[in-house]
Amino acid sequence: MLRPVVQYPDPVLAKICEPVAEIDDEVRSLAKDMLDTLVTVGGVGIAAPQIGVLKRMVIIDVSLEKEQDDLPQDFRVFINPVITVLDPKPHEENEGCLSVPDLRAKVKRPRRVALDAMDLEGKPVHIEGEGYYGACMQHETDHLDGKLFIDHISFLKRSLYDKKMKKNRK
Ligand SMILES: [Zn+2]
């Protein structure tokens, strides 16, 4: 089921999410709603708080690993994901977010990371990658700690964006 995407500055996006204790029907139906929403609105990843559920779950397009534009998207569910930095050298990617309308910005993050999680069967999964793929893993996992990519951009850029959003809401 398609769900509305929570938009910045909704305070839900700044909350810390709860770990998933058990993979039950509720968790499976949440994964389905996240996927339906992501496919409908379009994107490379989504985190549960973006549809208003404070659970540690993300979906990432793992076809990004191949760095080829013509590949079909391959969405995987990651439950309780944990990021490990494999190469801390800063790397910059142009990021955007379904919850942060009308903004893309360069964000510096560690160059290469691993993500460890569980899949919907409760089996451990491990992915690693760099570039845009690595940035995507970090971006989505950040959401579970109430962090958005705009928390990583310069103060000036952030202030300009906040001002614009305030104006739009009036
Ligand atoms: Zn995002």
Side-chain angles (χ1 to χ4, degrees), residues 45-47 50 96-100 139-140 143 147-149:
I46 193 167
Q50 291 184 277
C97 180
L98 301 176
S99 296
V100 182
H139 176 123
E140 298 310 334
H143 273 296
K147 272 191 271 170
L148 298 172
F149 80 97

Coordinates of all heavy atoms in Angstrom, one line a residue, residues 45-47 50 96-100 139-140 143 147-149, ligand 1:
G45 N 16.2 4.4 -2.5 CA 16.2 3.9 -1.1 C 15.1 4.6 -0.3 O 14.6 5.7 -0.7
I46 N 14.7 3.9 0.8 CA 13.7 4.5 1.7 C 13.9 3.9 3.0 O 14.4 2.7 3.2 CB 12.2 4.2 1.1 CG1 11.2 5.1 1.9 CG2 11.9 2.8 1.3 CD1 9.9 5.2 1.2
A47 N 13.6 4.7 4.1 CA 13.7 4.2 5.4 C 12.3 4.2 6.1 O 11.5 5.1 5.7 CB 14.7 5.1 6.2
Q50 N 10.4 7.4 7.0 CA 9.9 8.2 5.9 C 8.4 7.9 5.6 O 7.8 8.7 4.9 CB 10.7 8.0 4.7 CG 12.1 8.6 4.9 CD 13.0 8.5 3.6 OE1 13.5 7.4 3.3 NE2 13.0 9.5 2.8
G96 N 20.0 13.5 -2.6 CA 18.7 14.1 -2.5 C 17.9 13.1 -1.6 O 18.4 12.0 -1.3
C97 N 16.7 13.5 -1.3 CA 15.9 12.6 -0.3 C 14.4 12.8 -0.6 O 14.0 13.9 -0.8 CB 16.3 13.0 1.1 SG 15.4 12.1 2.3
L98 N 13.7 11.7 -0.6 CA 12.2 11.8 -0.8 C 11.6 12.7 0.2 O 10.5 13.2 0.0 CB 11.6 10.4 -0.7 CG 12.1 9.3 -1.7 CD1 11.5 8.0 -1.5 CD2 11.9 9.8 -3.2
S99 N 12.2 12.8 1.4 CA 11.6 13.6 2.5 C 12.1 15.1 2.5 O 11.7 15.8 3.4 CB 11.9 13.0 3.8 OG 11.3 11.7 3.9
V100 N 13.0 15.4 1.6 CA 13.6 16.7 1.6 C 13.4 17.3 0.2 O 14.2 17.2 -0.7 CB 15.1 16.7 1.9 CG1 15.6 18.1 2.0 CG2 15.3 16.0 3.3
H139 N 23.1 7.0 3.9 CA 22.0 8.0 3.9 C 20.8 7.3 4.5 O 20.1 7.9 5.4 CB 21.7 8.4 2.5 CG 20.5 9.2 2.3 ND1 20.6 10.5 1.7 CD2 19.2 9.0 2.6 CE1 19.4 11.0 1.6 NE2 18.5 10.2 2.2
E140 N 20.5 6.1 4.1 CA 19.3 5.4 4.6 C 19.4 5.0 6.1 O 18.5 5.2 6.8 CB 18.9 4.1 3.7 CG 18.6 4.4 2.3 CD 17.6 5.5 2.0 OE1 16.7 5.7 2.9 OE2 17.7 6.1 1.0
H143 N 18.8 7.8 8.5 CA 17.3 8.1 8.8 C 16.9 7.4 10.1 O 16.0 8.0 10.8 CB 16.4 7.6 7.7 CG 16.3 8.5 6.5 ND1 15.6 9.7 6.7 CD2 16.6 8.4 5.2 CE1 15.6 10.3 5.5 NE2 16.2 9.6 4.6
K147 N 18.7 11.3 11.4 CA 19.6 12.2 10.7 C 19.2 12.3 9.2 O 18.9 11.3 8.6 CB 21.0 11.8 10.8 CG 21.7 12.3 12.1 CD 23.2 12.1 12.0 CE 23.5 10.8 12.7 NZ 24.8 10.3 12.6
L148 N 19.3 13.5 8.6 CA 19.0 13.7 7.2 C 20.3 14.2 6.5 O 21.2 14.6 7.2 CB 17.9 14.8 7.0 CG 16.6 14.4 7.7 CD1 15.6 15.7 7.6 CD2 15.9 13.3 6.9
F149 N 20.3 14.1 5.2 CA 21.5 14.5 4.5 C 21.8 16.0 4.7 O 23.0 16.4 4.7 CB 21.5 14.1 3.0 CG 20.7 15.0 2.1 CD1 21.4 16.0 1.4 CD2 19.4 14.8 2.0 CE1 20.7 16.8 0.5 CE2 18.7 15.7 1.1 CZ 19.3 16.7 0.4
Ligands
ZN1 ZN 16.5 10.1 2.6

